[in-house]
Every structure is written in structure tokens, then in C-alpha cells.
Amino acid sequence: MSTDAPIALSYDRGTVLVAQGPPGFDFTALPGVLFDPRTSTHRAQARHYRAIVEHCLREKIAYTDAARGWENKPAGWKLQAAREPYPHQAEAVATWWQTGRRGTVVLPTGTGKTFVAVLCMEKVSRPALIVTPTIDLMNQWYGVIKDSFGVEVGLLGGGYYDFQPITVTTYDSAYIHLERWGGKYGLLIFDEVHHLPGPTYAMAAIGSLAPFRLGLTATPERADGGELALPELVGPIVYRKEITELSGEYLAEYRTKRVYVDLTPEEEDAYRKAREEYRRFVAERGISLGGPNGWQKFIFEASRTPDGVAALRAYREQKRIERSASGKFTTLEKLLRDHAGERALIFTADNATVYEIARRYLVPAITHQTKIKERKQILERFHSGEYSILVTSQVLNEGVDVPAASVGIVLSGSGTIKENVQRLGRILRKYGDKQAVLYEVVAKGTAEEFTSDRRRQHHAFQ
DNA sequence: TTGACTCAACATCCTTTGCTACAA
DNA sequence: TTGTAGGTTTCCATGTTGAGTCA
């Protein structure tokens, strides 16, 4: 179909407006386009922009494009002193390019995801917005991009509001200021892309025109299955290399070891009582915790009756007992003795245990309550070797540049593969040719054994 | 500029056994 | 008889972060 009356595309607050066109033209035949009765216009979520343009080109439908707010080659765009990429980096870039310049690259922490992104940016040569989960990462990206391209780099978030052809932002700011940038970037890069499927954060991907998209992560899998939304938001997984495929050459050799500890008779008794109380409530209410929304149902029921409140308290109590079993402390002491002089990171699920360990063994601790300055200082001292042991809960799982350690001790944690892979990643930075080791300390005869099984369902732990 | 605060968003929280109604 | 899908209410508490406000 060829026509002299082109359809008109424009960007409007996270959507593409489609107007004009030949008489009787069916706008809803365009990908993603719906009639909006509030404004009597036709529009699509901005993410459909690429499909709409491709459809128009394929069907030879004339169109004018006032939506796209970027030029192809921003001035001064030159990669400075490019170094040779590793084979896995070159492959990742090539595959992403061949898959239509859309998709997610999965690489373990410390194997150069940022450089993959830099190479993709250079190849695509479009204004790019880089989205990160934390201000810390935003600053790291800012430094790398500035050095890589030698251009002014914009920052959005953390007190900055400066758009440039290359801009780094946070998921929060990307969402809040979407209307201001949604039509201005041809390439979107999502660092730690497993955050993107959150309902609010996803808006950044939905409301942007960017035809080219790159997601980066070490573990796309989410506990809620949200990774299923990633193909729509950024594209499919186009390249994936696992820890086991890169250990030895690019990552440290490692082994993982599960250590069981017994509860004391008193702990066992208290654990059994608490667990029985909570399980009884679940059984009486006919709640199937493994079923869909099982946990939500438990929470819902538990908040309505005194019985339920007690059951929830009992649930938390049995959790607390398994997490802080006294045997874990003796095991920790032994492990630290066995690895005296080595750099060790201790992980827990809760802050109370972190502080307990810090008090007992006079070990520096980091939680979300640790002030930024102090946190930085502790990490620097850990890096310089002044501190050889560091205890933390969940803060260091992701998004912080943590100096390499060769020993990891997981005293407690969630059942998610993501957390376990992230923690393993903390000891895999090449650090001499020492073999790294990740210990997982599990309270025997408790539900922790199942949590442990669950988080080890990743071949890196087989 | 800094720091203390509040608020919003996100993630996890579970699974060791079986019931019931309905379809094949 | 055997096999299997089935279910619904937005959220108790803790950990973590970013944005925004105010002194």
C-alpha cells in the first residue's frame, strides 16, 4: 500500500501517538497500537516504536517521524585506546548484534560486562542511556564511560540532572523522569537487568522508544519468575557464559563445601515447638504453602486472628533459631582458624547475627545501617589487607565493588540462586592462583537444608 | 554541602504431605 | 479408574536502596 498522506508518529509521555494517514486507515493494524478513548487518539506503548517503523517500511506505508528525538551519530563519539576484548566479550557483542541489537548478555561478575556494553555502544553509535540499580554503580559507569569515549557524560539521579548523549541513571530516576528522556535515546543499557521486571522499574523499558537494548546480568532468574518479562522489555538472552566455563582462565578456580552443624538439645526443642505451632496453623487452614500464592495466603490468614499472629511469630522464631544456631559460631571459629591469614567474607541473612559476630570476634561489619563514609573506609582497609575478615548481611551481594576474597562463609541466606551466585562471585576475582572456597553452613534437621538445596540448583554448585 | 529523616519501591518469606472436583 | 488442575482478596517483618525534604 502506498499513499501520499503519511501517518504521523510522535512521542507523548511514554507512548507513540499515531495520527493522520490516508482516509479509513486502520491504525490498530500497527503493532501495539490501540484506540485511547480518553483523548480520542491512537497510541502504543513507546517500546513498540521499532516494530511500528519496521511494519511501515515492510508494508511501504508512508510515515513522518516526529517521535524519534536522537541523531544517528552524536558528535565526538570515539572509543579511546580500545583494548582487545576477551573471546567471550567479542562473542557476546557479535551475537547481540546479529540478534537485532536487542537482548540480554549473561556473564558472571568480574568477567567484563561493562566492556561488552562499551563495545556495543561503539558499534551502535546512538545516544545511549545506561540504567543501574545503585548510585554506586552509576558512579562506576560514569567513570568508565568517560574514560572510554572521552566525552561529557550525563548523570541523572543522586542529585544530578544533566542529560548528555550518553547519560547514566538509576532505575528510580529513569522511571521518575521517563517523560523527559523516553524519546531521546536510541540505545538503552540495563545493568543488573534482573531488577527491570519490577512493576515500576519496568516502566522505563515500556515508555522508551529505544529500538536497541542491552541487558546485563550474572543471574537473570528471579524468585517470582519475572525474568519471563525480559524478552519483551529488552529482548531474549542472546549470550550466556557460566562461572564454570570461565573459572580457571578468567575467574579463580573454586570449590564449594556444605558444612552441617547440629542444634543443641535446647535449640532443637525450641525449634520443634515453634515449627509445630506454625505448621499446625498452616495445616488447619488447609493452606498449601507450595501452591500458587501459598505464602500470601498464609500471611493474609495469619494477620486476621490471634492464632495466626502466634503462628507467624512461631514461624519467625524457628527461622531465627536456625539462622543463629550456636553451632554455627563454633564452626565459623574453626573455619577462620583453618584459613588464618586469608581474606574472608562472612555472609548472613540478618543484621542481628552480623552485629553478634562483629561483637564476639571484633570483626568489621557492614550492613545497610553503616554510613557511606564508614563503609568505604572498611572496604578500603579490607582491600589493603589491614582487615582480613569482613562480616556482612545482604548489602554486599550486589552493586558494590568489593575487593576480592578467597574464602566465603555463608552462615545463612535466602534460597535464591541469584544471591548464592552473587556471593560466590565475591570470591572469584582472580587473586593469585589460590583456589577460592565457598562454605555454606547449614543447621542440620531444619528447613535450612531445603533452602540450601534450592539455592544450589545451579550447575556452579554441583 | 551535609546529615537526618521519611517515604516508596523492591525482594524474600514456602515446598518433608496430600484433598477435592472434574476431565479423560 | 486414573490423572491432574486447582485458588481469591495485597502484604507481617526485615533488609536494602534512591529520592526528596528540611534544618
Side-chain angles (χ1 to χ4, degrees), chain A residues 28-99:
Chain A
T28 58
L30 296 170
V33 175
L34 299 167
F35 181 68
D36 178 357
R38 296 166 307 173
T39 52
S40 292
T41 50
H42 285 89
R43 63 173 84 224
Q45 290 175 340
R47 69 189 171 97
H48 293 297
Y49 167 78
R50 177 177 181 171
I52 292 171
V53 168
E54 283 174 351
H55 179 90
C56 288
L57 293 173
R58 205 171 41 243
E59 302 295 322
K60 300 193 167 48
I61 300 168
Y63 69 96
T64 59
D65 190 349
R68 170 184 171 140
W70 65 87
E71 46 180 318
N72 271 2
K73 278 204 188 238
W77 191 276
K78 182 92 185 81
L79 191 54
Q80 322 263 303
R83 58 182 162 86
E84 235 2 77
Y86 293 128
H88 62 266
Q89 292 173 321
E91 281 168 32
V93 175
T95 321
W96 177 77
W97 184 264
Q98 284 155 15
T99 322

Side-chain angles (χ1 to χ4, degrees), chain A residues 438-451:
Chain A
L438 184 76
Y439 292 100
E440 195 192 356
V441 185
V442 178
K444 211 170 175 184
T446 71
E448 235 182 21
E449 293 189 34
F450 299 94
T451 309

Side-chain angles (χ1 to χ4, degrees), chain A residues 154-167:
Chain A
L155 282 175
L156 176 63
Y160 293 93
Y161 189 85
D162 173 33
F163 286 103
Q164 296 290 337
I166 305 179
T167 297

Side-chain angles (χ1 to χ4, degrees), chain A residues 256-316:
Chain A
T256 63
K257 204 160 181 252
R258 206 172 341 189
V259 184
Y260 289 99
V261 305
D262 291 314
L263 297 182
T264 65
E266 299 79 52
E267 284 169 347
E268 208 177 322
D269 191 45
Y271 179 83
R272 193 178 36 78
K273 278 189 185 136
R275 190 154 176 91
E276 269 169 14
E277 180 171 8
Y278 135 70
R279 296 291 302 176
R280 196 184 320 118
F281 179 81
V282 168
E284 280 170 1
R285 300 295 162 120
I287 299 168
S288 146
L289 282 174
N293 298 314
W295 180 253
Q296 276 73 15
K297 176 151 190 178
F298 170 51
I299 296 297
F300 183 74
E301 294 274 328
S303 59
R304 332 206 91 199
T305 61
D307 265 18
V309 171
L312 199 48
R313 201 179 307 126
Y315 160 75
R316 263 192 280 283

Side-chain angles (χ1 to χ4, degrees), chain A residues 128 180 190 304 331 448:
Chain A
R180 313 298 286 275
F190 294 103
R304 332 206 91 199
T331 301
E448 235 182 21

Side-chain angles (χ1 to χ4, degrees), chain A residues 252-387:
Chain A
E253 296 274 6
Y254 72 97
R255 63 197 166 92
T256 63
K257 204 160 181 252
R258 206 172 341 189
V259 184
Y260 289 99
V261 305
D262 291 314
L263 297 182
T264 65
E266 299 79 52
E267 284 169 347
E268 208 177 322
D269 191 45
Y271 179 83
R272 193 178 36 78
K273 278 189 185 136
R275 190 154 176 91
E276 269 169 14
E277 180 171 8
Y278 135 70
R279 296 291 302 176
R280 196 184 320 118
F281 179 81
V282 168
E284 280 170 1
R285 300 295 162 120
I287 299 168
S288 146
L289 282 174
N293 298 314
W295 180 253
Q296 276 73 15
K297 176 151 190 178
F298 170 51
I299 296 297
F300 183 74
E301 294 274 328
S303 59
R304 332 206 91 199
T305 61
D307 265 18
V309 171
L312 199 48
R313 201 179 307 126
Y315 160 75
R316 263 192 280 283
E317 175 61 9
Q318 50 105 40
K319 267 323 238 190
R320 191 195 59 75
I321 294 169
E322 62 181 30
R323 279 206 296 243
S324 57
S326 54
K328 289 191 175 180
F329 291 92
T330 26
T331 301
L332 174 64
E333 280 174 41
K334 183 182 175 304
L335 291 175
L336 291 177
R337 262 200 310 275
D338 290 351
H339 292 278
E342 291 178 58
R343 207 176 285 171
L345 273 168
I346 305 164
F347 299 101
T348 73
D350 60 303
N351 289 337
T353 310
V354 168
Y355 295 131
E356 175 63 23
I357 290 168
R359 259 194 306 275
R360 273 204 210 188
Y361 308 111
L362 297 177
V363 171
I366 294 182
T367 71
H368 76 283
Q369 290 159 327
T370 313
K371 299 271 177 289
I372 307 273
K373 270 188 187 165
E374 191 188 351
R375 191 186 294 193
K376 224 173 153 180
Q377 194 181 50
I378 292 173
L379 287 173
E380 273 164 16
R381 289 182 179 169
F382 188 63
H383 182 67
S384 72
E386 190 178 335
Y387 296 151

